[in-house]
Amino acid sequence: MPPHPLDDAATRPMPPEVAGPELPHAPHLADRDGSAVIECLADDIDRDLLAEFLEEGRECVAHAEAALLALEGNPSDTEAVNRVFRAFHTVKGTSGFLGLARITACAHDAESLLSRVRDREIAFSRGCADLALQSADMLKSLFAVVARALHGDGRLPVPEGYFALLEALASYVPLRAVDTEPVPLHGPADGVFPAVIAGDVAEAGAEAEESTIRIRIDRFDRLTDLVDELVTAQSMIAQSLIAGEGAVGDSPQYALLRKVTHTSTIVRELQDLSRSLRMVPLGPVFQKLARVVRDTATKVGKPVKFVAEGDEVEIHRTMVDRLGALLVHMVRNAVDHGIEPPAERMAHGKPLPGVIRLRAYRTPGHIGLELSDDGRGLQRERIVRRAIERGLLDSESRLGDVGVFNLIFAPGFSTAEQVTDISGRGVGLDVVRRNLEALHGRVDIRSVAGKGATFILQLPLSLR
């Protein structure tokens, strides 16, 4: 077995004057031999290269996560296995070059796990999928640590659960009962290891990142061409004004008008193109939602399939975060409240797994989103009863379905019988309503008892 990157990688301890028990992450910094090590960024590290690595590393992990979710539906997809392996391998190689020993070690162990799958030493079981996804989560946490260090004091604290995850990766042995069977679609795992981000590392790392945006090459090329055309047109206008002459057969005024009109056309196209540069596709948002569905379904013990359409639809980047938060609450609610438990679905002759669909589309001036599930649908009588109990309705009220369904967006409203870490406090759909208002959007609800529910969102293309 090759030596572990962390065993022979050089780490630079903190100077004695700043190291000590007052460091908040000190309890989590024990290396494999039990010694306390506080890793720091090297003084001479190439900060531009490091920032570029963080961006590319996040992209690699996102690709790995997408391939892992695809593998759960088709464990025999060797190309998906290779995509995950390559992503971890790329992160390992570049982080090793930069001296980021923690990231190198995590990527190395995750890569080794996928190597065992690729070499058919083990099958891609549910436990393998869990560990690989948790490795992706840990890498994202480590990226956040480095981003904070890059813009802070250079210290690289270890996220909680880091060493335990490495140990779980190195010692993973799949349960024989599931090792030879296809991976169940969001069913019970054969060993789940919780990887937890310590404190506010992820949030702080995100705040430390510089604001960047990726631009399609064809759009950038067109932008360059338009700027060149605009400069040429402006020069021609200036020369016409100086010379006071037009082309043969034209009056000076008419020649100048033609050039001004041409310039105006370029400016309008340049304006449209500049706006499009701030548009980003919904694909990354949809990918995150696929992970949310998977994790939520696992937690509540329901087999659920997530189907997304229209991930190429673009939206203004200033709206992405709010829209993402809004959709997270909605898909969690769909899994927890909409999709029935397996026994209930089977009793009603409904197939497994349950299905949650998300479709995006463009309309003139708007973005449309439809989130639907084939679950039990909104329970009108239960909503009315709970609204009366909370004083939102009186017993004499005669609301139609639209009015009743909209009650679920009221602050603190919930029909859950028990409070869990997923639902029950009436927070999720209240967040949806507030984020929709901030985005100047609207939502309509359609529901058929026993068949499912559909939430139809309409949002502007931009807040500007």
Side-chain angles (χ1 to χ4, degrees):
M1 185 174 181
H4 196 282
L6 195 59
D7 296 334
D8 54 8
T11 56
R12 183 170 65 84
M14 287 285 288
E17 62 269 20
V18 295
E22 73 279 6
L23 293 176
H25 299 281
H28 306 297
L29 298 180
D31 255 330
R32 291 192 170 196
D33 61 359
S35 62
V37 174
I38 301 174
E39 194 180 14
C40 298
L41 292 178
D43 292 334
D44 59 350
I45 196 166
D46 187 327
R47 291 181 171 268
D48 291 336
L49 183 59
L50 182 58
E52 184 177 340
F53 161 70
L54 291 176
E55 182 178 353
E56 292 180 352
R58 292 188 189 97
E59 185 174 339
C60 283
V61 170
H63 290 162
E65 192 172 50
L68 285 167
L69 293 174
L71 268 173
E72 287 201 285
N74 181 15
S76 62
D77 187 346
T78 56
E79 180 51 37
V81 173
N82 289 333
R83 286 201 302 272
V84 180
F85 179 87
R86 287 194 297 265
F88 288 138
H89 182 79
T90 299
V91 171
K92 181 186 79 169
T94 311
S95 63
F97 172 77
L98 291 169
L100 301 172
R102 308 292 189 207
I103 295 178
T104 305
C106 183
H108 170 84
D109 283 1
E111 175 196 48
S112 297
L113 179 68
L114 267 295
S115 179
R116 295 169 66 191
V117 175
R118 189 178 64 170
D119 296 340
R120 301 186 183 278
E121 178 185 336
I122 60 174
F124 189 77
S125 65
R126 179 50 189 250
C128 181
D130 284 325
L131 278 177
L133 285 168
Q134 288 152 15
S135 299
D137 289 341
M138 185 59 72
L139 286 172
K140 286 186 280 188
S141 299
L142 290 164
F143 293 154
V145 167
V146 174
R148 186 173 69 171
L150 184 61
H151 298 278
D153 59 11
R155 292 186 295 178
L156 300 170
V158 184
E160 183 179 348
Y162 172 82
F163 292 109
L165 174 60
L166 264 57
E167 186 62 34
L169 285 166
S171 61
Y172 174 71
V173 178
L175 295 181
R176 187 174 301 276
V178 299
D179 191 32
T180 57
E181 298 176 3
V183 178
L185 196 65
H186 303 158
D190 62 331
V192 178
F193 177 81
V196 182
I197 299 175
D200 60 349
V201 167
E203 181 179 351
E207 291 173 353
E209 294 176 26
E210 295 182 4
S211 180
T212 61
I213 183 171
R214 289 181 176 271
I215 300 174
R216 282 171 36 186
I217 293 296
D218 61 328
R219 290 182 177 175
F220 183 78
D221 289 343
R222 184 56 185 149
L223 175 64
T224 304
D225 291 343
L226 284 173
V227 171
D228 289 342
E229 288 182 39
L230 187 59
V231 170
T232 301
Q234 189 273 338
S235 177
M236 292 172 63
I237 291 173
Q239 295 217 1
S240 294
L241 291 174
I242 293 172
E245 296 178 356
V248 176
D250 287 344
S251 68
Q253 294 82 4
Y254 181 71
L256 181 60
L257 178 61
R258 283 193 301 110
K259 293 170 183 175
V260 169
T261 301
H262 177 57
T263 304
S264 299
T265 301
I266 296 174
V267 169
R268 282 195 299 271
E269 187 175 349
L270 187 60
Q271 182 183 45
D272 292 340
L273 180 60
S274 66
R275 288 174 176 171
S276 74
L277 294 179
R278 298 184 66 84
M279 304 293 283
V280 293
L282 287 170
V285 175
F286 282 19
Q287 181 180 318
K288 291 178 183 178
L289 293 174
R291 180 69 188 276
V292 170
V293 170
R294 177 198 188 273
D295 293 347
T296 306
T298 298
K299 185 168 290 187
V300 298
K302 298 176 182 179
V304 181
K305 180 180 180 181
F306 180 67
V307 179
E309 303 173 24
D311 59 355
E312 75 284 353
V313 172
E314 294 182 323
I315 193 168
H316 199 280
R317 67 187 305 269
T318 59
M319 302 173 65
V320 169
D321 290 341
R322 277 203 174 103
L323 179 61
L326 178 158
L327 291 173
V328 164
H329 286 292
M330 294 185 73
V331 298
R332 283 168 61 92
N333 189 73
V335 173
D336 194 31
H337 291 293
I339 302 296
E340 310 94 328
E344 183 179 335
R345 288 184 70 90
M346 293 169 59
H348 288 89
K350 302 178 73 171
L352 295 177
V355 178
I356 293 176
R357 296 182 182 275
L358 179 59
R359 183 171 75 94
Y361 52 91
R362 285 281 296 269
T363 61
H366 292 87
I367 293 289
L369 289 162
E370 291 185 7
L371 179 68
S372 62
D373 66 73
D374 66 346
R376 59 170 65 99
L378 296 181
Q379 299 169 292
R380 176 188 167 89
E381 294 76 13
R382 194 171 183 177
I383 294 173
V384 170
R385 183 172 66 251
R386 186 57 59 90
I388 292 174
E389 292 172 358
R390 290 182 52 82
L392 299 175
L393 288 178
D394 58 52
S395 57
E396 304 301 320
S397 296
R398 294 291 183 268
L399 286 180
D401 285 347
V402 173
V404 170
F405 293 159
N406 280 324
L407 289 171
I408 66 176
F409 295 107
F413 188 87
S414 175
T415 58
E417 298 296 338
Q418 293 181 329
V419 174
T420 69
D421 58 348
I422 296 178
S423 64
R425 299 190 185 277
V427 175
L429 291 181
D430 179 33
V431 171
V432 170
R433 180 183 58 82
R434 286 188 280 109
N435 278 353
L436 271 176
E437 290 175 352
L439 294 172
H440 308 302
R442 54 171 291 178
V443 60
D444 296 314
I445 306 174
R446 299 172 186 166
S447 180
V448 178
K451 300 293 184 181
T454 299
F455 292 77
I456 305 169
L457 284 66
Q458 190 176 70
L459 303 165
L461 293 177
S462 171
L463 294 179
R464 298 184 178 182

